[in-house]
Amino acid sequence: MADINLKEVTLIIGVVTVCYWNSLFCGFVFDDVSAILDNKDLHPSTPLKTLFQNDFWGTPMSEERSHKSYRPLTVLTFRLNYLFSELKPMSYHLLNMIFHAVVSVIFLKVCKHFLDSRSSVIASLLFAVHPIHTEAVTGVVGRAELLSSIFFLAAFLSYTKSKGPDNSIVWTPIAVTVFLVAVATLCKEQGITVVGICCVYEVFIAQGYTLPLLYATAGQFLRGKGSIPFSMLQTLIKLIVLMFSTLLLVVIRVQVIQSQLPVFTRFDNPAAVSPTPTRQLTFNYLLPVNAWLLLNPSELCCDWTMGTIPLIESFLDIRNLATFTFFCFLGALGVFSLRYPGDSSKTVLMALCLMALPFIPASNLFFPVGFVVAERVLYVPSMGFCILVAHGWQKISNKSVLKKLSWVCLSMVIFTHALKTLHRNWDWESEYTLFMSALKVNKNNAKLWNNVGHALENEKNFERALKYFLQATHVQPDDIGAHMNVGRTYKNLNRTKEAEESYMMAKSLMPQIIPGKKYAARIAPNHLNVYINLANLIRANESRLEEADQLYRQAISMRPDFKQAYISRGELLLKMNKPLKAKEAYLKALELDKNNADLWYNLAIVHIELKEPNEALKNFNHALELNPKHKLALFNSAILMQESGEVKLRPEARKRLLSYINEEPQDANGYFNLGMLAMDDKKDTEAEMWMKKAIKLQADFRSALFNLALLYSQTAKELMALPVLEELLRYYPDHIKGLILKGDILMNQKKDILGAKKCFEKILEMDPSNVQGKHNLCVVYFEEKDLLKAERCLVETLALAPHEEYIQRHLNIVRDKISSSSLVEQPIFPASKTSGVGRDKIPTENVKEIKSEPKPTQIVKTSDNKSQYKSNKQLGKNTDKEVPHKTIKEIKEIEKKRVAALKRLEEIERILNGE
């Protein structure tokens, strides 16, 4: 075996770079969404130990819905990507490309054990450019194959060093091999199959045995005519150590999956649930299908499930000839490699082992898997294929007649494969391009039609998405998911009648409950979302809330661990004004998932409904412990602290709001509430800055505009408040407090009596019983020296508020002036200052509807105004009225204002009396 040199390494890396450079510009598609975008195990806030408790997709291994794919080391590399670039796909694709280059270089070193130097480079080049690898390299989730392959090949290379001088055993490489096998298995399950390859290598390559020789030796030993050779005993010892280590790894792996195989449905793998002989005939036919993809990768498809490959239901099916031919060819190669000695037979044997053994876990022959064909699982088997092709080329090229032709053909194959790989990478650019490319290959897979619809749905192109979803129902009429997609799209198009009909159709296709038989074993967990989606649709009708609740309870009865059903039911119970029952629902959901920050947030909302702010704050804090960047928890907990009136909580409230605007820099509400906090702390300059930022982001932000104007008026900048009020009233002409404040400034600062009069008259047009507006209009009449009109006005005002002492005093003053007829022109008294214009708070509303389509959400979302978490009782109130239940601090502030107002009244009365 020759060592690899720098030129060979450079060539391999260069070829990989040329073939896969454009993969850097692809996004997260298909399974990447679940493994990367939706996987909380990538987030730094998730404890590292959780990676070793969950499956590849972030689902706890203990849960029935888990796929039992245990690959914590692969997820760890995703987490490292997230640490450096969060969810920017380029770094993920770059690391995949690097790993593929590493695998190709290590594979070159492996090839040199069985091929000459030139053929080894050719095999490695074929492997580097083969289009079948695009799913493993360009698809980010394919990293499991890449990482597992690195340790797979490293384990084999380590084992090749276990034979010492005089056929002695070198134990250190064997120990390293066992360790690398364990690491490979933690990257992907097929890594354990390298043990079988090591065993074949030991018997037939390292020791040089052939099958006839083994039969002869065993026969002599059994007949008592000879003993087992010492070299063979040493081989047996090595094989026993390898097999024992493998058995130990298998036992550990079984313990990890808790002795449960994953649950798949007939849609994932139709043949797996088919009767004999359909199941056997179909599964055996899939072997030549996979071999053909290696031989002719012209039509590649990202998804081969459902109806892609029709079932073989008869021995007379013509496709059985392909199966027969494949096994004959494979058997011939097997007989040649095992029966005859020589380097050529050894090379063929190792190529066959590399093709067959790593493929066994995905073959469906021993246990069903969740797919029919998957191109990425051919990553390691293609190594054997490339060795076989390179070895065949070597034999042909050695003949002078065919030498030039063999080089031309080889060059064409490598060149066309490289072009196909480069072109295929662009298919993975987005979900739309990926699934459209798949539909060109296969139109009988309803899942592909659904996925194109999902891609269009994500672009809000609901009309086109609906066409693809409807086509999916035609291709596979019993596809529950397709009918759910149709229903959801109708809902998005506001066609609720059709949406309900589609959901009812999906519901009718659900398997009926059979006593004593596990329901989950016959239905995909996400199909139960039909109950959630249907309930979410009909609960928009207030008269059907009980019906919606029944659907949630039905889903829970079918699957007691259906977390989303508890979440959605909890939100519905809040809407039905049953907070105690909602609390029970969320607590049940928390029993299923205590580390779900969204659930703790939802529970906090319930405590707010129950008027338990301290408990609500505790739950908000718990949510933030699990996810420090939980935006809604950051915001609403800050508002809760702010509204508590406790000065000691303000710094933490400010800190959380700053974190919130860091996460949501385009949300004006965060800046507005920072401004309100600054006003509480008498930091006027800072408050002005935050209010202006809020208005810059949302020009029609009612509360920010009013409070900025109020801030100016309270800091002797009344003239700066006027343009802000003009802007406020342009958007909200009926803003009563804004009109009162504007009238006050016009009267007291601009001396514009007519302008102030228009403001107060407009208030009374909208609300004839408004005491503040009415009283201020009376003052305008007094200023205009129309005493009789002022008297009538004050009498009417007093009738509206008979207990307001200042109105009675003003009426007495006007009557005295009328009787004395000696009115001396005096400056107008600032009437609106006595009316106690208060700060404008953001109104509070109940939480919005939870949306569980297309994927169940796990968070109760508030409306755009993020502080809207209060109870239904405050809905519909005037947004500028004072909120009841003032804090001690607010009461003291009001008292101070009242004292100041009384002083002003005394001053006004002195002016009116001519003192």
Side-chain angles (χ1 to χ4, degrees):
M1 182 199 72
D3 289 331
I4 59 176
N5 57 54
L6 184 60
K7 287 183 180 179
E8 293 169 340
V9 172
T10 304
L11 174 64
I12 297 299
I13 293 175
V15 168
V16 169
T17 304
V18 169
C19 288
Y20 286 98
W21 66 268
N22 57 338
S23 70
L24 301 179
F25 305 100
C26 297
F28 293 121
V29 297
F30 204 15
D31 289 338
D32 297 347
V33 176
S34 299
I36 309 295
L37 299 182
D38 297 340
N39 192 346
K40 293 183 180 179
D41 287 348
L42 272 63
H43 301 171
S45 58
T46 303
L48 275 174
K49 66 177 183 180
T50 306
L51 271 66
F52 295 87
Q53 298 170 346
N54 294 348
D55 67 13
F56 187 54
W57 316 98
T59 305
M61 294 292 290
S62 58
E63 291 192 12
E64 192 175 27
R65 62 191 178 94
S66 169
H67 281 212
K68 310 300 181 185
S69 47
Y70 189 65
R71 305 164 192 172
L73 295 187
T74 304
V75 178
L76 185 61
T77 65
F78 292 152
R79 185 163 173 145
L80 291 175
N81 272 120
Y82 187 91
L83 187 64
F84 287 105
S85 63
E86 293 193 349
L87 294 175
K88 296 176 182 176
M90 181 174 285
S91 73
Y92 294 80
H93 290 294
L94 176 61
L95 195 54
N96 270 26
M97 187 173 76
I98 291 171
F99 284 148
H100 180 54
V102 171
V103 173
S104 300
V105 170
I106 300 176
F107 177 58
L108 173 62
K109 191 170 180 64
V110 170
C111 289
K112 291 197 174 187
H113 281 77
F114 317 110
L115 298 168
D116 61 33
S117 184
R118 186 177 61 183
S119 300
S120 296
V121 172
I122 288 169
S124 186
L125 284 174
L126 278 171
F127 178 80
V129 304
H130 203 296
I132 202 73
H133 298 155
T134 50
E135 182 171 342
V137 181
T138 309
V140 178
V141 295
R143 186 176 299 176
E145 266 74 25
L146 305 177
L147 278 175
S148 180
S149 298
I150 290 174
F151 296 107
F152 180 101
L153 296 176
F156 175 74
L157 287 174
S158 176
Y159 187 79
T160 59
K161 299 175 182 177
S162 65
K163 181 181 177 181
D166 302 323
N167 210 23
S168 60
I169 300 175
V170 183
W171 289 107
T172 301
I174 295 176
V176 172
T177 297
V178 172
F179 172 76
L180 290 173
V181 170
V183 174
T185 306
L186 289 175
C187 295
K188 192 176 181 184
E189 299 77 6
Q190 69 181 25
I192 201 169
T193 60
V194 72
V195 173
I197 293 173
C198 290
C199 291
V200 173
Y201 173 84
E202 176 64 31
V203 175
F204 297 100
I205 310 299
Q207 301 301 329
Y209 296 124
T210 61
L211 211 55
L213 180 59
L214 289 175
Y215 282 147
T217 304
Q220 288 181 357
F221 176 74
L222 291 174
R223 289 194 298 269
K225 294 183 178 180
S227 60
I228 299 177
F230 180 72
S231 61
M232 191 172 288
L233 286 175
Q234 285 188 311
T235 300
L236 284 173
I237 292 171
K238 292 170 75 173
L239 295 181
I240 289 170
V241 170
L242 281 177
M243 298 308 295
F244 179 78
S245 303
T246 304
L247 183 61
L248 183 62
L249 288 174
V250 170
V251 170
I252 294 173
R253 184 70 174 82
V254 170
Q255 289 296 317
V256 168
I257 67 173
Q258 300 185 0
S259 304
Q260 293 179 341
L261 287 175
V263 176
F264 298 116
T265 68
R266 61 189 179 87
F267 298 108
D268 300 315
N269 191 346
V273 295
S274 299
T276 301
T278 300
R279 182 170 66 255
Q280 290 77 11
L281 291 174
T282 304
F283 282 157
N284 281 288
Y285 172 69
L286 295 180
L287 299 177
V289 168
N290 281 279
W292 180 250
L293 287 174
L294 288 173
L295 190 63
N296 178 29
S298 58
E299 293 188 339
L300 300 178
C301 182
C302 63
D303 193 307
W304 295 80
T305 56
M306 303 186 85
T308 303
I309 299 177
L311 298 174
I312 298 179
E313 299 177 322
S314 169
F315 287 102
L316 299 178
D317 194 309
I318 192 67
R319 289 174 293 172
N320 289 320
L321 287 176
T323 306
F324 178 76
T325 304
F326 172 77
F327 277 107
C328 286
F329 180 71
L330 201 65
L333 289 176
V335 169
F336 168 76
S337 61
L338 292 171
R339 188 175 181 83
Y340 302 103
D343 291 340
S344 181
S345 60
K346 291 178 180 179
T347 301
V348 172
L349 177 61
M350 291 309 299
L352 290 176
C353 287
L354 279 170
M355 288 177 66
L357 295 181
F359 186 73
I360 287 175
S363 66
N364 283 291
L365 296 178
F366 296 98
F367 49 83
V369 294
F371 53 84
V372 178
V373 173
E375 293 164 13
R376 62 178 176 269
V377 303
L378 293 174
Y379 190 75
V380 175
S382 69
M383 295 178 186
F385 173 79
C386 292
I387 290 175
L388 208 57
V389 172
H391 181 59
W393 174 86
Q394 179 187 358
K395 293 292 184 182
I396 295 172
S397 64
N398 286 338
K399 298 178 180 180
S400 57
V401 180
L402 300 174
K403 187 172 184 179
K404 288 185 179 180
L405 181 61
S406 66
W407 273 106
V408 171
C409 292
L410 178 68
S411 300
M412 287 293 294
V413 168
I414 293 176
F415 180 71
T416 54
H417 275 44
L419 282 181
K420 174 65 177 178
T421 298
L422 193 66
H423 181 265
R424 175 65 173 159
N425 288 334
W426 288 123
D427 291 340
W428 292 79
E429 184 178 14
S430 68
E431 294 209 319
Y432 179 77
T433 56
L434 178 64
F435 297 124
M436 285 301 292
S437 71
L439 280 177
K440 293 176 184 177
V441 176
N442 170 33
K443 291 181 170 58
N444 296 321
N445 187 340
K447 192 174 178 181
L448 294 175
W449 293 98
N450 279 321
N451 284 332
V452 174
H454 285 310
L456 292 169
E457 185 181 37
N458 291 336
E459 297 173 1
K460 307 299 182 185
N461 194 340
F462 299 122
E463 291 287 355
R464 283 189 65 198
L466 181 61
K467 294 178 182 178
Y468 283 91
F469 290 142
L470 287 171
Q471 181 61 29
T473 63
H474 295 148
V475 171
Q476 187 93 29
D478 60 348
D479 182 7
I480 297 171
H483 290 285
M484 289 170 62
N485 292 334
V486 171
R488 184 182 61 256
T489 309
Y490 276 134
K491 181 183 177 183
N492 289 330
L493 292 170
N494 295 319
R495 295 165 64 176
T496 54
K497 182 181 178 182
E498 292 96 329
E500 185 172 348
E501 289 174 356
S502 297
Y503 284 143
M504 292 301 293
M505 173 61 74
K507 183 169 174 284
S508 69
L509 293 171
M510 297 284 282
Q512 298 301 310
I513 296 176
I514 301 174
K517 189 170 182 180
K518 231 174 186 180
Y519 190 80
R522 297 176 296 115
I523 190 69
N526 61 313
H527 284 173
L528 282 173
N529 283 324
V530 66
Y531 294 95
I532 307 298
N533 297 346
L534 182 57
N536 289 346
L537 178 71
I538 66 175
R539 75 181 190 188
N541 185 339
E542 295 290 334
S543 65
R544 302 181 70 182
L545 296 183
E546 289 293 344
E547 186 181 346
D549 188 37
Q550 176 63 31
L551 285 167
Y552 291 136
R553 284 186 278 126
Q554 189 174 353
I556 291 169
S557 69
M558 291 179 172
R559 195 178 185 103
D561 65 345
F562 193 9
K563 180 174 59 181
Q564 185 59 38
Y566 291 107
I567 294 172
S568 298
R569 184 168 185 248
E571 198 278 333
L572 176 67
L573 290 168
L574 277 177
K575 185 175 182 179
M576 297 170 70
N577 201 23
K578 298 179 180 179
L580 288 175
K581 288 189 176 181
K583 181 180 176 181
E584 291 177 9
Y586 286 131
L587 287 174
K588 184 63 179 177
L590 280 168
E591 288 179 13
L592 300 170
D593 188 3
K594 291 183 179 179
N595 295 321
N596 189 320
D598 298 331
L599 283 175
W600 288 104
Y601 169 82
N602 289 356
L603 190 58
I605 300 298
V606 174
H607 282 295
I608 287 173
E609 291 290 332
L610 292 170
K611 300 191 180 350
E612 297 173 351
N614 292 334
E615 287 299 315
L617 189 56
K618 287 180 184 178
N619 288 308
F620 280 139
N621 291 341
H622 204 143
L624 291 170
E625 287 174 10
L626 294 169
N627 180 8
K629 293 185 178 181
H630 194 291
K631 291 180 283 191
L632 291 175
L634 281 169
F635 191 94
N636 285 320
S637 62
I639 301 303
L640 200 59
M641 291 175 177
Q642 183 180 0
E643 293 191 348
S644 71
E646 295 186 35
V647 177
K648 64 181 181 180
L649 293 179
R650 285 184 194 164
E652 180 61 23
R654 185 176 187 276
K655 179 182 175 182
R656 293 187 183 187
L657 286 172
L658 288 171
S659 298
Y660 176 77
I661 62 172
N662 185 54
E663 295 296 317
E664 287 284 344
Q666 298 302 312
D667 187 0
N669 291 290
Y671 300 97
F672 167 76
N673 282 281
L674 279 166
M676 299 298 286
L677 270 176
M679 288 180 72
D680 285 338
D681 292 332
K682 308 299 181 186
K683 297 177 181 178
D684 299 331
T685 304
E686 183 182 338
E688 180 184 357
M689 175 191 72
W690 292 123
M691 292 295 180
K692 284 183 175 179
K693 284 189 176 183
I695 295 168
K696 184 178 180 181
L697 288 170
Q698 185 180 333
D700 62 344
F701 197 153
R702 174 185 175 121
S703 299
L705 287 165
F706 177 77
N707 282 288
L708 179 60
L710 185 61
L711 177 66
Y712 284 144
S713 71
Q714 291 175 345
T715 54
K717 299 178 183 178
E718 287 88 349
L719 296 182
M720 292 179 67
L722 270 181
V724 179
L725 288 169
E726 292 289 351
E727 191 73 5
L728 170 68
L729 294 170
R730 183 168 71 87
Y731 288 112
Y732 307 102
D734 59 347
H735 196 289
I736 291 177
K737 281 191 175 183
L739 289 166
I740 289 175
L741 187 56
K742 180 183 177 183
D744 173 49
I745 295 173
L746 290 175
M747 288 176 63
N748 290 283
Q749 302 299 322
K750 300 282 287 184
K751 307 301 180 184
D752 183 358
I753 306 301
L754 183 60
K757 184 178 182 180
K758 289 180 179 179
C759 290
F760 301 137
E761 285 177 341
K762 187 169 184 179
I763 292 170
L764 294 177
E765 286 177 11
M766 295 181 291
D767 182 12
S769 62
N770 187 285
V771 176
Q772 294 174 329
K774 188 81 171 176
H775 175 261
N776 291 358
L777 184 61
C778 299
V779 175
V780 170
Y781 294 150
F782 177 82
E783 188 69 19
E784 290 177 339
K785 301 180 182 179
D786 192 340
L787 298 181
L788 293 177
K789 200 169 184 179
E791 180 189 22
R792 288 195 301 272
C793 179
L794 285 168
V795 169
E796 293 172 1
T797 307
L798 188 62
L800 294 172
H803 302 296
E804 291 291 349
E805 184 183 349
Y806 72 94
I807 299 175
Q808 182 64 59
R809 287 204 304 272
H810 289 178
L811 178 60
N812 293 338
I813 291 170
V814 170
R815 283 175 174 170
D816 289 343
K817 289 297 181 181
I818 291 173
S819 61
S820 62
S821 299
S822 58
L823 179 63
V824 178
E825 184 177 348
Q826 298 291 349
I828 183 67
F829 62 89
S832 65
K833 296 285 186 181
T834 69
S835 60
V837 176
R839 288 192 349 192
D840 188 10
K841 299 277 186 170
I842 294 180
T844 55
E845 295 181 7
N846 62 325
V847 292
K848 271 193 175 179
E849 175 187 3
I850 291 180
K851 296 178 180 178
S852 61
E853 308 169 287
K855 294 181 179 178
T857 57
Q858 298 176 356
I859 182 168
V860 176
K861 294 185 178 180
T862 61
S863 62
D864 291 338
N865 187 333
K866 296 295 191 306
S867 66
Q868 297 177 345
Y869 56 64
K870 291 278 181 131
S871 65
N872 298 335
K873 293 179 181 178
Q874 292 185 7
L875 281 175
K877 286 196 172 185
N878 188 318
T879 60
D880 301 318
K881 288 187 179 180
E882 293 182 15
V883 180
H885 308 299
K886 296 288 184 183
T887 62
I888 295 174
K889 175 186 174 299
E890 289 172 323
I891 292 172
K892 289 181 178 178
E893 291 290 332
I894 293 170
E895 187 60 31
K896 288 180 182 177
K897 290 179 181 178
R898 186 177 294 278
V899 171
L902 288 173
K903 289 182 180 178
R904 296 295 298 275
L905 282 171
E906 291 174 0
E907 180 183 349
I908 292 164
E909 289 171 10
R910 286 197 300 272
I911 292 171
L912 290 173
N913 287 322
E915 295 178 5

